[in-house]
Coordinates of all heavy atoms in Angstrom, one line a residue:
T520 N 103.3 82.0 109.4 CA 102.7 82.6 108.2 C 101.5 83.4 108.7 O 100.6 82.9 109.4 CB 102.1 81.5 107.3 OG1 103.3 80.7 106.9 CG2 101.4 82.1 106.0
F521 N 101.5 84.6 108.3 CA 100.3 85.5 108.8 C 99.0 85.0 108.2 O 98.9 84.7 107.0 CB 100.6 87.0 108.2 CG 99.8 88.0 109.0 CD1 100.2 88.4 110.3 CD2 98.6 88.6 108.4 CE1 99.5 89.4 111.0 CE2 97.9 89.5 109.1 CZ 98.3 89.9 110.4
P522 N 97.9 85.1 108.9 CA 96.7 84.4 108.6 C 95.8 85.1 107.6 O 94.8 84.5 107.2 CB 96.0 84.1 109.9 CG 96.5 85.2 110.9 CD 97.9 85.4 110.4
H523 N 96.1 86.3 107.3 CA 95.2 87.2 106.5 C 96.0 87.9 105.4 O 97.1 88.2 105.6 CB 94.5 88.2 107.3 CG 94.0 87.7 108.6 ND1 93.0 86.7 108.7 CD2 94.2 88.1 109.9 CE1 92.7 86.5 110.0 NE2 93.5 87.4 110.7
F526 N 92.5 92.7 106.1 CA 92.1 92.6 107.5 C 92.1 94.0 108.1 O 92.5 95.0 107.5 CB 93.0 91.7 108.3 CG 94.4 92.1 108.4 CD1 94.9 92.9 109.5 CD2 95.3 91.9 107.4 CE1 96.2 93.3 109.6 CE2 96.7 92.3 107.4 CZ 97.1 93.0 108.5
Q527 N 91.4 94.1 109.3 CA 91.4 95.3 110.0 C 92.6 95.2 111.1 O 92.7 94.2 111.8 CB 90.1 95.5 110.8 CG 88.9 95.8 110.0 CD 88.8 97.3 109.5 OE1 89.8 98.1 109.8 NE2 87.8 97.7 108.9
W528 N 93.4 96.2 111.1 CA 94.5 96.2 112.0 C 94.2 97.1 113.2 O 94.0 98.3 112.9 CB 95.8 96.5 111.4 CG 97.0 96.6 112.3 CD1 97.2 95.9 113.4 CD2 98.2 97.5 112.2 NE1 98.3 96.3 114.0 CE2 99.0 97.2 113.3 CE3 98.5 98.5 111.3 CZ2 100.2 97.9 113.5 CZ3 99.8 99.1 111.4 CH2 100.6 98.8 112.5
E529 N 94.2 96.6 114.4 CA 93.8 97.4 115.5 C 95.0 97.8 116.3 O 95.8 96.9 116.7 CB 92.8 96.6 116.5 CG 92.3 97.4 117.6 CD 91.3 96.6 118.5 OE1 90.4 96.0 117.8 OE2 91.4 96.7 119.7
G530 N 95.2 99.0 116.6 CA 96.3 99.6 117.4 C 96.0 99.7 118.9 O 94.9 99.2 119.4
T534 N 92.0 102.0 117.6 CA 91.8 102.4 116.1 C 92.0 101.2 115.3 O 93.0 100.5 115.4 CB 92.7 103.6 115.8 OG1 92.4 104.7 116.6 CG2 92.6 103.9 114.4
R535 N 91.2 101.1 114.2 CA 91.3 100.0 113.2 C 91.6 100.7 111.9 O 90.9 101.6 111.5 CB 90.1 99.1 113.3 CG 89.9 98.4 114.5 CD 88.8 97.4 114.4 NE 88.7 96.5 115.6 CZ 87.8 95.6 115.9 NH1 86.7 95.5 115.0 NH2 87.8 94.9 117.0
P624 N 88.5 90.1 109.1 CA 89.1 89.7 110.5 C 89.9 90.8 111.0 O 90.4 91.7 110.3 CB 89.9 88.5 110.2 CG 90.2 88.6 108.7 CD 89.1 89.2 108.1
V625 N 90.1 90.8 112.4 CA 90.8 91.8 113.1 C 92.2 91.2 113.7 O 92.1 90.1 114.2 CB 90.0 92.4 114.2 CG1 90.8 93.4 115.0 CG2 88.8 93.0 113.7
W626 N 93.3 91.9 113.5 CA 94.5 91.6 114.1 C 94.8 92.8 115.1 O 94.9 93.9 114.7 CB 95.7 91.5 113.1 CG 97.0 91.2 113.7 CD1 98.0 92.0 114.1 CD2 97.5 89.8 113.8 NE1 99.1 91.3 114.6 CE2 98.8 90.0 114.4 CE3 97.0 88.6 113.6 CZ2 99.6 88.8 114.7 CZ3 97.7 87.5 113.9 CH2 99.1 87.6 114.5
V627 N 95.1 92.4 116.3 CA 95.3 93.4 117.4 C 96.8 93.4 117.7 O 97.5 92.4 118.0 CB 94.5 93.0 118.6 CG1 94.7 94.0 119.7 CG2 93.0 93.0 118.3
G628 N 97.4 94.6 117.9 CA 98.7 94.8 118.3 C 99.8 94.9 117.2 O 99.4 95.0 116.0
E629 N 101.0 94.8 117.5 CA 102.1 95.1 116.5 C 102.0 94.0 115.4 O 101.6 92.9 115.5 CB 103.4 95.1 117.2 CG 103.9 93.7 117.7 CD 105.3 93.7 118.4 OE1 106.1 94.5 117.9 OE2 105.5 93.0 119.4
L630 N 102.5 94.4 114.2 CA 102.7 93.5 113.1 C 104.2 93.2 113.1 O 105.0 94.0 112.6 CB 102.3 94.2 111.8 CG 100.8 94.4 111.6 CD1 100.5 95.2 110.4 CD2 100.0 93.0 111.6
Y631 N 104.6 92.2 113.8 CA 106.0 91.9 114.1 C 106.6 91.1 112.9 O 106.1 90.1 112.5 CB 106.1 91.1 115.4 CG 107.6 90.7 115.8 CD1 108.3 91.6 116.7 CD2 108.1 89.5 115.3 CE1 109.6 91.2 117.0 CE2 109.4 89.1 115.8 CZ 110.1 90.0 116.6 OH 111.4 89.6 116.9
W923 N 104.6 82.0 117.9 CA 104.5 83.5 117.7 C 105.2 84.2 118.8 O 105.9 85.2 118.5 CB 103.1 83.9 117.7 CG 102.2 83.4 116.6 CD1 101.6 82.2 116.5 CD2 102.0 84.0 115.2 NE1 101.0 82.0 115.2 CE2 101.2 83.1 114.4 CE3 102.4 85.3 114.7 CZ2 100.9 83.4 113.2 CZ3 102.1 85.6 113.4 CH2 101.3 84.7 112.6
K927 N 109.6 86.3 118.9 CA 109.9 87.6 119.4 C 111.1 87.7 120.3 O 110.9 88.2 121.4 CB 108.6 88.3 120.0 CG 107.5 88.4 119.0 CD 106.3 89.1 119.5 CE 105.2 89.3 118.5 NZ 104.0 90.0 119.1

Side-chain angles (χ1 to χ4, degrees):
T520 300
F521 197 81
H523 317 295
F526 60 100
Q527 292 278 9
W528 178 29
E529 182 177 317
T534 296
R535 291 181 176 179
V625 177
W626 181 271
V627 178
E629 67 180 327
L630 294 170
Y631 180 91
W923 295 87
K927 296 183 180 182

